[in-house]
Amino acid sequence: VVLAASERLRKLEHVEVREGDMQALPFDKPSFDLVLLMHALTYADKPALAIAEAARVLRKGGQLLLTCLAKHEHASAVTPFGHVNLGFTDKELRRFASKAGLTVQVCQVVTQEKRPPHFEVLALQARKE
């Protein structure tokens, strides 16, 4: 994935693709205007820590955008994909972001699969004040 992203984005001088642990980001100071966690939290052993790390590396005024599955009870459907978590509630995501010092602007279900088991996807947008 990192190689494919690097190749696709190589012409953009202001973009650098790096791989790291979302629960221990390899950056010493706030350096980013935007952090994206797109369906990453289902793989996090410590999802609150992943959000705290995202907040830590954001500059003042920076945004965290994340998507994840809403809480569900379909372990058999996601176990083959290595999911560690069975989704989250909007309250959990709001709490993680608030504890990380972010101001939540939006946190809601944005889509639902048409086919069973009808997974829902939550989106969160939060800002570092």
Side-chain angles (χ1 to χ4, degrees), residues 18 24-32 53 56-57:
R18 297 189 49 187
L25 294 172
F27 306 103
D28 295 331
K29 59 183 180 179
S31 307
F32 299 92
E53 278 291 279
R56 181 182 67 77
V57 301

Side-chain angles (χ1 to χ4, degrees), residues 2-22:
V2 173
L3 183 60
S6 296
E7 181 60 29
R8 199 171 292 151
L9 300 170
R10 69 181 156 78
K11 293 179 183 177
L12 301 175
E13 293 179 18
H14 65 286
V15 174
E16 179 182 351
V17 177
R18 297 189 49 187
E19 185 175 5
D21 181 346
M22 69 179 137

Side-chain angles (χ1 to χ4, degrees), residues 18-126:
R18 297 189 49 187
E19 185 175 5
D21 181 346
M22 69 179 137
Q23 298 166 136
L25 294 172
F27 306 103
D28 295 331
K29 59 183 180 179
S31 307
F32 299 92
D33 297 315
L34 176 65
V35 173
L36 301 172
L37 291 173
M38 308 312 281
H39 293 286
L41 290 186
T42 53
Y43 301 98
D45 292 321
K46 298 176 182 174
L49 181 56
I51 291 176
E53 278 291 279
R56 181 182 67 77
V57 301
L58 280 172
R59 292 183 181 119
K60 185 176 182 177
Q63 297 277 322
L64 168 63
L65 301 177
L66 75 81
T67 60
C68 65
L69 290 179
K71 185 73 91 182
H72 63 87
E73 297 179 6
H74 305 288
S76 62
V78 297
T79 299
F81 300 103
H83 288 200
V84 176
N85 300 296
L86 295 179
F88 301 90
T89 66
D90 62 332
K91 287 182 182 181
E92 287 175 309
L93 294 179
R94 286 175 183 276
R95 186 176 70 244
F96 295 160
S98 293
K99 282 189 172 186
L102 300 173
T103 301
V104 176
Q105 296 165 308
V106 176
C107 185
Q108 64 189 35
V109 172
V110 292
T111 189
Q112 181 185 49
E113 287 185 337
K114 294 181 191 233
R115 294 180 294 173
H118 305 290
F119 287 115
E120 293 180 326
V121 175
L122 285 168
L124 176 132
Q125 178 182 0

